Amino acid sequence: MRSADVVVIGGGVNGASTAFNLASLGVKRIILVERRHLAAGASGKSGSLVRMHYTNDAEARLAFESLKVFRDFSRIVGGDCGFQPIGFVQVVAPGYEKALHANVAMQQRIGIETQPISKDDLRRLVPAMRVDDIGAACWEPGSGFADPNATTFGFAEAARRLGATIETECEALRIVIEGGRVAGVETSRGRIAAPVMVAVPGAWAGTLLGPLGLDFGLEPYRIQISVFRWPAGFQGGHPVVIDAFHKAWMRPEGAISTLIGVELGAAHTDPEKFHEGVDEDYVALCREKLATRFPVFQHSTMRGGWAGMIMMSPDGRPVIDQIPSVPGLWVMLGDSGTSFKTSPAIGRCLAEWIVKGKPETADLSRFRSTRFAEGKPWVDEHNYGRERLTISR
Ligand SMILES: Cc1cc2nc3c(=O)[nH]c(=O)nc-3n(C[C@H](O)[C@H](O)[C@H](O)COP(=O)(O)OP(=O)(O)OC[C@H]3O[C@@H](n4cnc5c(N)ncnc54)[C@H](O)[C@@H]3O)c2cc1C
């Protein structure tokens, strides 16, 4: 039987980041098992927005700590994560002006480079954007987007260089509990004995958690995006935009296209067999929302799209915890479609927790797994309406 100090289950960006950070902190025998290939889940499909604007300080801080890594990826991790700091605009509907200003002030206290921006300044900054209908907006000049596959591969390759084993096409079938704590994992390639397990299985968490009696009310969702060619005459490009008014987010894709996602997606989808392409009516919805914010896109050509699986938690926030009832088990679950940009800090925090006894980079207490049983699901004071259903990639 093989053995390891830590087994990481899942080769998405959060699993790969965790393996890298564990190796950086000196853990020698790490095995990451991935049932398919690296970035086979949500990570490979991600819109990969890297923005700091959250309606709570816990996630904003994770995003802020992660931005430092995206900016300096080649030195800290190695390789190129494709980070493009083209700037980010958050717009909200009328009625949410106070909420946006409160959130910007909270982010500034963290140290995030962000500021409210007037409609006139926004029009000057992004001339193609319709701004007359919005309530308020803010601008983050240093945010942008990255390449989610390159980021995942970069973390995994760095972990491998530091001695970790990355095993693809290896499925974790059952977490083994002995004497009331983690003892190892049964995989499709045999058992691995290990006292510490980090489960980061994305939308496929159900089969691992069920047998341990763990139920956090997680639901797999199918999320789509589509891509539109820039119309003739549209040259200036645009920054990354989250339009909380129309529940859409968009960013440039390549040199001549825009990638857009709208709304939350469809729940209860079977992550084992879902349609990876984009639905026809969804393309029409995206075109409508895109043209609402950028009228020039009314006659743009659709150039593709895809769908991926995320795992929503009941309050739309991830669960990042050491499971109290299962000593030796750490989890990052219920990514809720917003955990690419925070993955560098999430992996760092999990590694600190395992190696040093507590997370140091950020406080993870609000992400605790017990909040649902305590009847204290997460609600942000200054949200932008329909909190959990508000698109927030
Ligand atoms: C269309 C779309 C757009 C998005 N846009 C953004 C965005 O703009 N910004 C942002 O921050 N986030 C975004 N997200 C969300 C983000 O991509 C995810 O939150 C993040 O990638 C989750 O990473 P993960 O490593 O936790 O999970 P995943 O990437 O899903 O990885 C889980 C991995 O575990 C593997 N696995 C599962 N079970 C087992 C098992 N039993 N044994 C072995 N391996 C197993 C899976 O095969 C998978 O590779 C988007 C997601 C989608 C789908």
Side-chain angles (χ1 to χ4, degrees):
M1 195 203 310
R2 292 187 298 159
S3 65
D5 296 327
V6 182
V7 172
V8 178
I9 302 173
V13 71
N14 281 298
S17 168
T18 304
F20 162 70
N21 279 292
L22 282 166
S24 301
L25 291 181
V27 179
K28 293 285 173 237
R29 299 184 315 138
I30 302 164
I31 302 180
L32 181 153
V33 294
E34 161 55 52
R35 62 182 213 149
R36 293 178 62 208
H37 54 85
L38 292 172
S43 299
K45 300 288 186 58
S46 188
S48 50
L49 269 52
V50 177
R51 46 96 191 177
M52 308 297 103
H53 194 91
Y54 275 93
T55 51
N56 64 78
D57 61 346
E59 287 186 294
R61 183 166 294 281
L62 286 179
F64 178 56
E65 294 299 332
S66 297
L67 179 66
K68 297 172 188 171
V69 179
F70 284 114
R71 278 186 173 153
D72 206 4
F73 199 84
S74 62
R75 187 185 62 79
I76 298 172
V77 183
D80 183 358
C81 69
F83 179 53
Q84 299 202 34
I86 60 169
F88 164 76
V89 174
Q90 170 83 47
V91 305
V92 297
Y96 293 102
E97 295 85 348
K98 269 191 186 160
L100 181 122
H101 284 90
N103 289 326
V104 169
M106 170 270 288
Q107 290 148 19
Q108 287 172 337
R109 283 195 294 277
I110 290 173
I112 292 168
E113 196 185 358
T114 177
Q115 64 201 58
I117 184 168
S118 69
K119 291 185 193 181
D120 285 344
D121 285 346
L122 186 51
R123 196 177 286 114
R124 272 189 286 277
L125 186 71
V126 196
M129 195 167 163
R130 179 181 171 202
V131 300
D132 61 296
D133 60 333
I134 67 173
C138 64
W139 167 237
E140 292 175 12
S143 296
F145 66 95
D147 178 336
N149 288 284
T151 306
T152 309
F153 298 154
F155 276 132
E157 189 47 41
R160 203 186 329 244
R161 275 198 307 274
L162 292 169
T165 301
I166 307 291
E167 213 165 307
T168 54
E169 296 181 25
C170 179
E171 181 167 7
L173 303 172
R174 184 174 69 90
I175 294 171
V176 179
I177 308 294
E178 279 170 10
R181 57 160 300 123
V182 164
V185 59
E186 293 287 355
T187 80
S188 52
R189 294 195 187 158
R191 185 163 170 175
I192 305 170
V196 174
M197 198 72 39
V198 188
V200 198
W204 297 265
T207 49
L208 286 175
L209 300 182
L212 300 180
L214 300 174
D215 180 359
F216 304 116
L218 307 175
E219 269 184 292
Y221 269 67
R222 175 172 172 259
I223 301 286
Q224 304 178 70
I225 57 111
S226 52
V227 178
F228 291 84
R229 174 73 161 82
W230 287 353
F234 180 70
Q235 276 165 358
H238 62 84
V240 176
V241 177
I242 290 184
D243 181 349
F245 193 175
H246 294 291
K247 300 177 179 43
W249 55 271
M250 51 212 87
R251 68 155 169 88
E253 167 77 352
I256 51 167
S257 298
T258 287
L259 179 156
I260 173 169
V262 181
E263 280 291 356
L264 190 57
H268 309 298
T269 311
D270 182 355
E272 297 300 340
K273 47 174 195 299
F274 67 97
H275 174 43
E276 286 192 88
V278 64
D279 303 341
E280 215 173 306
D281 55 350
Y282 185 79
V283 175
L285 178 69
C286 285
R287 181 180 277 113
E288 181 202 320
K289 300 292 184 189
L290 185 54
T292 304
R293 191 51 61 217
F294 289 97
V296 67
F297 275 89
Q298 199 177 351
H299 302 298
S300 60
T301 311
M302 187 270 199
R303 292 287 292 265
W306 60 83
M309 295 298 306
I310 62 164
M311 189 69 120
M312 287 299 295
S313 81
D315 57 13
R317 312 290 176 202
V319 173
I320 314 170
D321 205 356
Q322 192 285 307
I323 299 295
S325 60
V326 188
L329 177 63
W330 275 260
V331 300
M332 155 59 197
L333 302 167
D335 67 280
S336 299
T338 179
S339 304
F340 169 76
K341 72 186 73 56
T342 46
S343 59
I346 289 172
R348 179 86 192 165
C349 286
L350 284 169
E352 289 166 348
W353 200 339
I354 291 163
V355 174
K356 302 181 181 186
K358 66 178 171 56
E360 293 175 347
T361 298
D363 177 10
L364 295 183
S365 54
R366 286 198 75 187
F367 299 96
R368 70 192 180 283
S369 54
T370 51
R371 65 186 190 264
F372 310 110
E374 291 162 9
K376 292 182 186 160
W378 190 321
V379 179
D380 290 338
E381 186 185 352
H382 301 295
N383 67 67
Y384 300 137
R386 291 204 305 140
E387 166 77 346
R388 185 170 171 271
L389 295 177
T390 301
I391 195 90
S392 59
R393 296 291 164 251

